[in-house]
């Protein structure tokens, strides 16, 4: 009985031990983040090219993309907001994204650099005219 009592006391003693608490993260929760909605109208795209042909691109000035954030980000994602009949049930599709139409395919890609987010648009038929007048995106960054 003494051995059982001693064993229970020993297990209780070790179970109640707690190691030192580390320092809290920024804002006390361990992570910072931001979400930014972006609407790109057809006349806002700039013309460019890559190794496969013409592209359209749009640069978003984002001062929160510092060297610290770029080097320590847990997640950097940009989503294409796929509108479903202007309802609240829109889908957010992560970039890189392709959308098939009857006559062509659209491609969206994203690049993050110091102070900027660049969204690129390309079509399978190398046309430089976007399918829609407006495109909605959402950028989510956590570090």
């Amino acid at each position: 009985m003494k051995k059982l009592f001693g064993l229970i006391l020993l297990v209780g003693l070790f179970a109640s031990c707690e190691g030192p608490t580390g320092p809290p993260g920024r804002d006390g929760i361990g992570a910072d983040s931001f979400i930014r909605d972006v609407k790109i109208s057809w006349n806002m795209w700039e013309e460019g090219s890559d190794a496969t042909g013409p592209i359209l691109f749009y640069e978003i000035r984002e001062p929160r993309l510092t060297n610290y954030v770029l080097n320590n980000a847990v997640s950097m994602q940009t989503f294409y907001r796929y509108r479903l009949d202007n309802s609240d049930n829109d889908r957010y599709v992560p970039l890189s994204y392709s959308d098939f139409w009857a006559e062509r395919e659209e491609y969206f890609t994203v690049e993050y650099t110091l102070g900027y987010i660049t969204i690129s648009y390309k079509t399978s038929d190398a046309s430089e005219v976007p399918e829609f007048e407006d495109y909605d995106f959402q950028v989510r960054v956590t570090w």
Side-chain angles (χ1 to χ4, degrees), residues 56-125:
L56 298 176
F57 67 93
Y58 182 72
E59 282 189 333
I60 304 155
R61 174 81 176 112
E62 181 49 69
R64 293 174 285 192
L65 280 183
T66 62
N67 276 327
Y68 180 83
V69 172
L70 290 170
N71 291 327
N72 295 289
V74 175
S75 174
M76 292 193 315
Q77 293 182 296
T78 299
F79 297 86
Y80 169 56
R81 184 176 181 182
Y82 191 79
R83 295 199 177 270
L84 301 174
D85 302 324
N86 291 325
S87 69
D88 291 333
N89 297 321
D90 295 346
R91 291 186 305 164
Y92 289 86
V93 183
L95 298 187
S96 295
Y97 172 69
S98 296
D99 198 3
F100 295 95
W101 296 94
E103 62 279 349
R104 68 179 181 179
E105 184 177 6
E106 294 182 309
Y107 307 97
F108 293 99
T109 57
V110 64
E111 182 180 337
Y112 306 93
T113 56
L114 182 63
Y116 289 92
I117 302 159
T118 304
I119 297 175
S120 297
Y121 172 90
K122 187 175 186 81
T123 60
S124 59
D125 65 359

Side-chain angles (χ1 to χ4, degrees), residues 41-55:
S41 297
W42 68 269
N43 60 348
M44 296 167 67
W45 295 100
E46 296 182 46
E47 294 180 15
S49 64
D50 64 10
T52 62
I55 62 168

